[in-house]
C-alpha cells in the first residue's frame, strides 16, 4: 500500500476509531447504554450499527455487494448488547474487518467499480462514503460521551480557550509534510 491516498485514509479511519476508544474510556458502563428517548440511540446502539455496517461493507469488499444478504440492519438498532466487553468486541471486530481490507488494497484497485445496494462506486468513492458515514456516527458517540460525563470530560481536540496556545506551538515548528493524525496517533500509542 504505497499510495498517499490509501495511507492517509487509513490514518483517518484510525483517528476516528481512537475518538471512539477515548470516549468509551471516559464514560461509565451505564452511560454506554443511556437512551435519551425512543427516537434516540445509545452509544451501544451506535457501536452495534457501525459494527454491522463495517462487516457488511468490508467483507469481500472487491467481489460482492456491500449490503450483504446476511446483514440485518434493523436489528442493529435494538439495544441488546449486554455489557462493555461485548460492545468493545463488536467495535474492534468491525474496525479489524475494515483495516484488514484497506491493508490489502492497491493503487490499481482505486478505480475499480464495486457495488453498494446495486449502486456502482469506484473503490475511492466507496471508501470516502464509509469515512463520512463513520465520522458522522463517531461524532454522535463523542457528543453523547461528552454530554453524559458532564464536567469530567477530557477534550479529544483543542480544549476551549486553548486555541492560541495550540496555534503558537504549531507555528513554532518548521513546515513539513505530514498527516494531521500523525502526532495524535503517535501520542496515543506512547500512552
Amino acid at each position: 500500500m504505497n499510495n498517499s491516498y490509501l495511507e492517509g485514509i487509513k490514518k483517518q479511519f484510525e483517528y476516528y476509531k481512537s475518538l471512539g476508544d477515548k470516549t468509551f474510556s471516559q464514560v461509565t458502563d451505564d452511560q454506554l447504554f443511556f437512551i435519551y428517548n425512543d427516537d434516540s440511540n445509545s452509544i451501544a446502539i451506535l457501536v452495534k450499527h457501525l459494527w454491522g455496517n463495517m462487516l457488511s461493507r468490508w467483507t469481500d469488499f472487491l467481489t460482492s455487494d456491500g449490503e450483504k444478504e446476511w446483514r440485518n440492519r434493523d436489528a442493529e438498532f435494538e439495544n441488546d448488547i449486554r455489557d462493555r466487553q461485548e460492545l468493545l468486541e463488536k467495535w474492534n471486530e468491525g474496525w479489524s474487518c475494515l483495516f484488514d481490507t484497506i491493508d490489502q488494497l492497491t493503487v490499481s484497485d482505486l478505480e475499480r467499480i464495486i457495488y453498494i445496494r446495486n449502486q456502482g462506486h469506484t473503490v475511492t468513492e466507496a471508501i470516502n462514503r464509509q469515512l463520512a458515514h463513520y465520522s458522522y456516527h463517531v461524532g454522535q458517540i463523542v457528543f453523547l460521551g461528552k454530554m453524559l460525563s458532564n464536567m469530567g470530560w477530557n477534550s479529544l481536540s483543542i480544549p476551549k480557550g486553548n486555541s492560541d496556545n495550540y496555534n503558537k506551538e504549531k507555528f513554532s515548528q518548521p513546515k513539513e509534510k505530514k498527516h494531521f493524525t500523525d502526532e495524535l496517533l503517535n501520542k496515543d500509542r506512547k500512552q
Side-chain angles (χ1 to χ4, degrees):
M1 178 175 61
N2 61 4
N3 174 278
S4 63
Y5 172 77
L6 289 171
E7 291 170 9
I9 209 74
K10 183 176 179 183
K11 287 178 181 182
Q12 288 187 272
F13 280 123
E14 289 172 340
Y15 171 70
Y16 286 109
K17 180 183 185 301
S18 77
L19 292 178
D21 292 336
K22 290 174 187 176
T23 298
F24 305 149
S25 70
Q26 294 193 59
V27 297
T28 67
D29 290 357
D30 288 343
Q31 289 170 334
L32 292 170
F33 301 95
F34 170 81
I35 298 176
Y36 179 73
N37 63 31
D38 289 341
D39 292 327
S40 301
N41 294 313
S42 66
I43 290 173
I45 288 173
L46 291 166
V47 167
K48 189 176 173 190
H49 170 57
L50 285 166
W51 164 77
N53 181 280
M54 288 176 181
L55 293 182
S56 184
R57 294 295 186 265
W58 299 99
T59 299
D60 302 324
F61 178 71
L62 294 174
T63 58
S64 68
D65 194 282
E67 185 67 16
K68 305 296 186 280
E69 289 182 20
W70 44 258
R71 182 182 184 200
N72 183 353
R73 185 182 180 280
D74 290 335
E76 294 167 14
F77 295 94
E78 296 171 9
N79 200 26
D80 61 358
I81 293 180
R82 294 179 305 263
D83 55 31
R84 180 183 291 267
Q85 180 179 339
E86 183 181 355
L87 177 142
L88 293 175
E89 286 170 2
K90 287 187 179 332
W91 176 255
N92 289 319
E93 181 184 13
W95 286 105
S96 291
C97 185
L98 178 155
F99 290 127
D100 289 346
T101 300
I102 294 279
D103 286 342
Q104 294 174 28
L105 294 175
T106 65
V107 174
S108 62
D109 292 324
L110 295 178
E111 292 302 313
R112 287 179 63 175
I113 302 298
I114 62 136
Y115 294 88
I116 301 172
R117 296 184 184 103
N118 278 344
Q119 293 178 329
H121 299 64
T122 65
V123 166
T124 302
E125 290 168 337
I127 292 170
N128 291 343
R129 173 180 172 164
Q130 295 317 116
L131 179 64
H133 183 202
Y134 302 158
S135 63
Y136 170 79
H137 287 307
V138 170
Q140 292 173 323
I141 289 169
V142 172
F143 179 76
L144 282 168
K146 184 175 183 177
M147 189 175 63
L148 291 167
S149 67
N150 202 3
M151 299 304 290
W153 182 254
N154 291 315
S155 178
L156 303 183
S157 62
I158 304 167
K160 282 185 181 181
N162 204 21
S163 296
D164 286 342
N165 290 338
Y166 183 83
N167 285 340
K168 283 178 190 172
E169 193 273 324
K170 289 295 179 196
F171 284 114
S172 72
Q173 299 174 15
K175 288 184 180 182
E176 65 178 312
K177 165 88 172 80
K178 64 181 178 180
H179 197 273
F180 79 96
T181 64
D182 287 344
E183 260 178 32
L184 301 168
L185 294 172
N186 289 336
K187 180 180 168 187
D188 292 344
R189 289 181 184 119
K190 289 177 186 175
Q191 293 177 350

